[in-house]
Amino acid sequence: MKTGNENSSSSIMDMFEQGKVLKICAPMVRYSKLAFRSLVRKYNCDVCFTPMIVATDFLRSVKARDSEFTTNERDRPLIVQFAAHDAQTLADAACVVAPFSDGVDLNCGCPQRWAMSAGYGACLINKPELVKDMVRHVRNQVDNPNYTASIKIRIHKDLKRTVDLCQKAEAAGVSWITVHGRTAEERHQPVHYDAIKTIKDSVSVPVIANGDIKYLRDVESTHQLTGVDGVMAARGLLANPAMFAGYEDTPLQCIWDWVDISIEQGTPFTCFHHHLIYMLERVSSQPERKVFNSLSSTSAVIDYLQNTYGTVQDLKS
């Protein structure tokens, strides 16, 4: 675990107070690691999440801590997302990461079968008293008053149950709530913006909307529809890490920024390559993608990018 500064200059709650719609990079398994967070921060991303970390493994193993959680002093504001199903484990994990981050988030939304069967993720939306207890433990045990304790949820078919969950979390001291506007059973169905609005209207803490944010214009339209305080993007940022800066597709500068950051941070090739596959998907033809996807070394990727798209210097000349 690399250290960060002990006190970031302002808390995330101060950012909500400024009245702008916060733009947030979602927790993504394998993808929202330090190198990618460093990239999206260059392009107007306000807050980043780590990938979901299983709190029990994190506490049990130094190896898990070092591989799952890497940061640096520029990687702020940062929210560490945990999967947990008991209050003390979550609070203990929060205390470990608190000096290096700005808040922890409890995953109450992951719909994957392994997570649900282990008692993590979206099954927690059916356990409001447990969620309340977990939030309260974090608030009581982390001694930094600016440190946030948030939850990320999916919605119930019966929205009254979701509202009840959110109000219980608010009573326990939750800092803010991210709502993925789909049920645990829904995957690519349309986002229920009306449900997000209902939740926003039912609590006084900030609410973040998540789901189907693909372009900067979606940030504003989601805000208009729901009144939320921020939006969170996942696949949209994978496809275009410069999305929050208003680019329709990944600009060449962003692609080369990713190359530089990956080399500087020693990103494993598979991760480096996968991110570029996502970034180039909208701007390359199928034959080009076939060639690019088969490349197997960093030097081959760099040669391909230079030959196909040119360098940043070419843009300026």
Side-chain angles (χ1 to χ4, degrees), residues 94-116:
C95 289
V96 173
V97 298
F100 315 101
S101 59
D102 300 277
V104 293
D105 185 81
L106 174 63
N107 184 314
C108 305
C110 178
Q112 290 182 24
R113 205 169 283 125
W114 74 266
M116 305 260 289

Side-chain angles (χ1 to χ4, degrees), residues 37-285:
R37 299 194 302 263
S38 305
L39 180 66
V40 295
R41 288 183 194 283
K42 280 177 165 273
Y43 292 92
N44 291 7
C45 186
D46 297 312
V47 178
C48 289
F49 272 58
T50 67
M52 180 182 80
I53 299 168
V54 177
T56 44
D57 298 346
F58 184 77
L59 290 170
R60 198 165 41 220
S61 152
V62 174
K63 190 176 172 192
R65 286 198 286 282
D66 288 344
S67 71
E68 293 284 339
F69 182 63
T70 312
T71 184
N72 61 31
E73 61 282 350
R74 297 182 302 282
D75 185 30
R76 306 297 283 269
L78 179 65
I79 302 295
V80 182
Q81 192 189 63
F82 284 113
H85 49 49
D86 77 279
Q88 194 54 57
T89 301
L90 179 64
D92 289 345
C95 289
V96 173
V97 298
F100 315 101
S101 59
D102 300 277
V104 293
D105 185 81
L106 174 63
N107 184 314
C108 305
C110 178
Q112 290 182 24
R113 205 169 283 125
W114 74 266
M116 305 260 289
S117 62
Y120 300 133
C123 71
L124 290 174
I125 64 173
N126 300 316
K127 300 177 180 176
E129 293 299 333
L130 175 58
V131 171
K132 190 173 164 181
D133 195 32
M134 291 163 92
V135 168
R136 191 178 284 132
H137 264 68
V138 173
R139 300 295 284 177
N140 289 343
Q141 291 183 34
V142 175
D143 61 5
N144 173 0
N146 287 331
Y147 200 72
T148 63
S150 56
I151 60 175
K152 182 172 187 291
I153 65 169
R154 282 183 175 242
I155 59 173
H156 297 86
K157 282 198 180 80
D158 176 2
L159 202 58
K160 290 198 288 289
R161 296 177 64 198
T162 320
V163 168
D164 175 64
L165 168 73
C166 293
Q167 289 175 340
K168 283 190 163 82
E170 180 176 25
V174 83
S175 308
W176 44 290
I177 299 168
T178 302
V179 182
H180 183 121
R182 294 184 175 99
T183 67
E185 293 73 41
E186 292 174 325
R187 291 297 179 270
H188 304 295
Q189 289 88 335
V191 171
H192 301 283
Y193 294 105
D194 53 337
I196 299 174
K197 183 180 191 317
T198 299
I199 293 162
K200 171 62 190 161
D201 292 344
S202 307
V203 293
S204 56
V205 294
V207 172
I208 306 296
N210 175 220
D212 283 1
I213 305 292
K214 296 192 172 79
Y215 299 95
L216 184 61
R217 58 181 174 270
D218 299 334
V219 174
E220 186 48 40
S221 62
T222 300
H223 173 64
Q224 296 290 344
L225 284 168
T226 60
V228 288
D229 305 273
V231 298
M232 176 185 282
R235 284 195 299 266
L237 279 176
L238 282 182
N240 177 9
M243 172 184 77
F244 284 148
Y247 292 91
E248 291 284 299
D249 295 307
T250 311
L252 187 58
Q253 177 70 57
C254 179
I255 289 166
W256 285 112
D257 284 341
W258 172 244
V259 172
D260 292 343
I261 289 167
S262 298
I263 290 170
E264 182 197 332
Q265 296 191 9
T267 301
F269 176 76
T270 308
C271 178
F272 166 68
H273 190 213
H274 274 178
H275 273 293
L276 285 167
I277 289 170
Y278 277 113
M279 288 181 215
L280 295 170
E281 194 166 12
R282 293 206 288 233
V283 297
S284 57
S285 65

